[in-house]
Amino acid sequence: MPAYKDTKRGTWFASISYSDAFGKYVTTKKRGFQTKKLAQEYERIALLEIQQVKRQSVILDDLFKMYLEYKKDRTKPRTIYNYQMLYNKQISPLLGKMYVDKITIPIIEAFQKEVLKQGYSNAYSEKIQTVLKSTLRFSVRKLMIDKNPFDYVDYVKNHNEVKKEMLFYTPEDFEKFCSVITNDLHLLLFQTMYWTGMRISELQARTWNDLNFRTRDLRIHSNFDNKNRVITNSTKNGENRIIYVPSKILDDLQALYKECDTVAGFNNNFYIFGTNKPIPHKTVENAKNRYIVAYNNMHEDSIPKIRLHDFRHSHVSYLANNGADAWDISERLGHSKEMVEKTYSHMFPEKRNKMKKLLG
């Protein structure tokens, strides 16, 4: 093995070339050896260590591909899609070409600083960090690294973030919204969202088989994945449920069923809002926006521009303000009681009234 004489210092040095953590070819020198033999021995050991690392190493991009392949049989397609999009946009450009066993705590902390600079919401920043941490945890399970460096790093977040206000329609607001709807199917669709609290993806997946007119029960056991355009066999959080359908929309749903039953080829596998395909998310979103604009253009008092998911919040607000407790609401939404209390605590008037009485 070659070693080189440092004529100025009268000592020997070794020159070693290898690929760094990003696969870039670099050369480093180690000086100060008293003999040529010591410089050669150092070079020999260093090259052996580098070659050993290279045999066991994999870049993060390749690790993530293995991780997604592993998750495909254990996670919903929509989740896989979201992981892939987030990784490609937020993680791969910074760390994708780095060898996994070269990712250290300082590298993760530097990555977190870059994430914070982007000004994302804390919820989105947490998702980015979770995907990276989970991917590295997978490499530990596959014996590629001994420890996950992310286990020794706390998540970062923007402590100055202002939490967005949860929007919802009161019954009065909703009546105003409905007053400008000219399409009967659209009217029934939004009424169903408002009075059942279903997610839009749950409403899209409902077929006539799910609705029992006699018992007034609606089974919610599936979800429409709008990204992959497929029906999944469970709801978003995996909590299937049966909910009661109020009479104010049941009669209209029954009238719609009778109308659909006159169409050739109709059967109970057809979607309630749609035919043999669910109504597109974009169709509902555009209709909602159009009716809000129409009302606000026609009236001095305006109604807020809410999201489709805010119809679910509106349902919770109605229930909470009419005496339903967190347990009842959790069963109807398919959430845990704790999650309902945490998310919607501000909507329970009896708690505010209790505090007023307590404080005087």
Side-chain angles (χ1 to χ4, degrees):
M1 289 186 168
Y4 306 92
K5 183 74 173 183
D6 188 335
T7 54
K8 290 185 177 180
R9 295 179 175 84
T11 56
W12 294 82
F13 68 91
S15 179
I16 304 170
S17 298
Y18 64 96
S19 298
D20 66 8
F22 291 96
K24 183 180 178 181
Y25 197 71
V26 297
T27 298
T28 61
K29 295 180 180 180
K30 177 71 173 179
R31 300 180 181 275
F33 296 102
Q34 297 301 315
T35 66
K36 180 179 180 179
K37 186 176 181 180
L38 287 174
Q40 290 174 325
E41 181 64 12
Y42 170 83
E43 182 188 33
R44 184 184 69 82
I45 294 174
L47 287 174
L48 283 175
E49 290 177 348
I50 291 169
Q51 290 302 318
Q52 182 68 16
V53 168
K54 288 178 70 174
R55 283 195 297 269
Q56 296 177 351
S57 290
V58 60
I59 63 172
L60 189 64
D61 279 349
D62 290 339
L63 173 67
F64 185 74
K65 291 176 184 177
M66 290 185 278
Y67 175 59
L68 275 196
E69 192 63 33
Y70 169 81
K71 295 290 288 185
K72 281 182 180 177
D73 298 327
R74 298 165 174 83
T75 307
K76 296 177 183 178
R78 174 63 179 271
T79 303
I80 295 295
Y81 175 88
N82 290 339
Y83 279 7
Q84 183 73 72
M85 293 300 101
L86 185 147
Y87 178 86
N88 290 348
K89 183 178 180 180
Q90 305 296 349
I91 301 176
S92 181
L94 294 174
L95 303 178
K97 302 307 178 185
M98 179 175 284
Y99 284 109
V100 174
D101 54 352
K102 295 292 187 180
I103 298 177
T104 61
I105 292 174
I107 287 175
I108 291 174
E109 290 174 339
F111 170 77
Q112 291 177 311
K113 288 181 180 179
E114 289 300 317
V115 171
L116 277 180
K117 287 179 183 178
Q118 304 309 311
Y120 299 129
S121 69
N122 284 332
Y124 186 61
S125 294
E126 183 175 335
K127 289 180 181 179
I128 296 172
Q129 295 172 82
T130 297
V131 169
L132 177 57
K133 185 174 184 177
S134 299
T135 304
L136 292 173
R137 184 184 301 125
F138 176 74
S139 71
V140 175
R141 292 176 181 173
K142 293 301 179 181
L143 304 179
M144 296 177 184
I145 57 177
D146 294 329
K147 295 181 180 180
N148 182 355
F150 217 132
D151 287 340
Y152 305 92
V153 177
D154 293 328
Y155 279 20
V156 296
K157 62 181 180 180
N158 176 14
H159 294 285
N160 296 319
E161 179 182 78
V162 178
K163 190 173 183 180
K164 292 183 179 179
E165 182 181 0
M166 184 182 292
L167 298 177
F168 60 90
Y169 278 166
T170 64
E172 293 74 23
D173 290 331
F174 184 61
E175 186 176 343
K176 293 175 182 178
F177 172 78
C178 291
S179 69
V180 296
I181 299 179
T182 54
N183 182 300
D184 290 341
L185 182 64
H186 288 174
L187 177 61
L188 182 54
L189 183 151
F190 288 115
Q191 288 176 329
T192 302
M193 290 182 66
Y194 187 87
W195 293 112
T196 65
M198 279 190 289
R199 302 176 178 93
I200 176 60
S201 55
E202 293 173 342
L203 179 136
Q204 289 174 283
R206 301 283 58 77
T207 70
W208 292 108
N209 278 321
D210 297 323
L211 180 58
N212 187 318
F213 289 109
R214 182 179 60 82
T215 62
R216 299 169 68 171
D217 289 334
L218 180 64
R219 292 189 309 125
I220 303 177
H221 58 90
S222 57
N223 193 73
F224 185 63
D225 181 344
N226 282 282
K227 294 291 185 182
N228 297 299
R229 300 185 181 280
V230 295
I231 298 292
T232 63
N233 292 323
S234 65
T235 61
K236 182 178 179 181
N237 60 355
E239 294 293 331
N240 299 339
R241 61 197 189 279
I242 297 176
I243 65 171
Y244 174 80
V245 180
S247 57
K248 62 187 69 183
I249 61 171
L250 187 70
D251 293 343
D252 290 335
L253 285 168
Q254 198 156 20
L256 176 61
Y257 178 81
K258 291 178 180 178
E259 181 182 330
C260 292
D261 198 26
T262 63
V263 177
F266 172 80
N267 60 70
N268 283 356
N269 290 319
F270 274 43
Y271 297 97
I272 296 176
F273 296 101
T275 52
N276 58 337
K277 294 181 180 180
I279 188 170
H281 182 284
K282 197 66 177 176
T283 298
V284 183
E285 177 72 24
N286 289 341
K288 181 259 299 178
N289 293 338
R290 186 165 64 251
Y291 296 130
I292 292 174
V293 170
Y295 182 87
N296 290 341
N297 285 342
M298 294 168 57
H299 300 82
E300 290 185 2
D301 62 322
S302 62
I303 54 177
K305 185 177 180 181
I306 66 172
R307 303 167 302 162
L308 288 177
H309 195 72
D310 289 323
F311 283 96
R312 182 169 165 88
H313 295 158
S314 301
H315 186 64
V316 175
S317 174
Y318 176 83
L319 295 177
N321 282 280
N322 285 276
D325 60 26
W327 178 260
D328 295 331
I329 294 173
S330 68
E331 286 196 323
R332 192 160 176 83
L333 294 186
H335 283 313
S336 68
K337 176 175 175 289
E338 292 72 23
M339 191 274 183
V340 168
E341 290 177 335
K342 178 181 178 181
T343 306
Y344 300 105
S345 60
H346 60 289
M347 290 186 175
F348 291 93
E350 70 277 8
K351 289 190 174 182
R352 296 195 297 272
N353 293 334
K354 182 178 179 181
M355 185 60 65
K356 289 179 182 178
K357 291 178 181 179
L358 178 65
L359 297 175

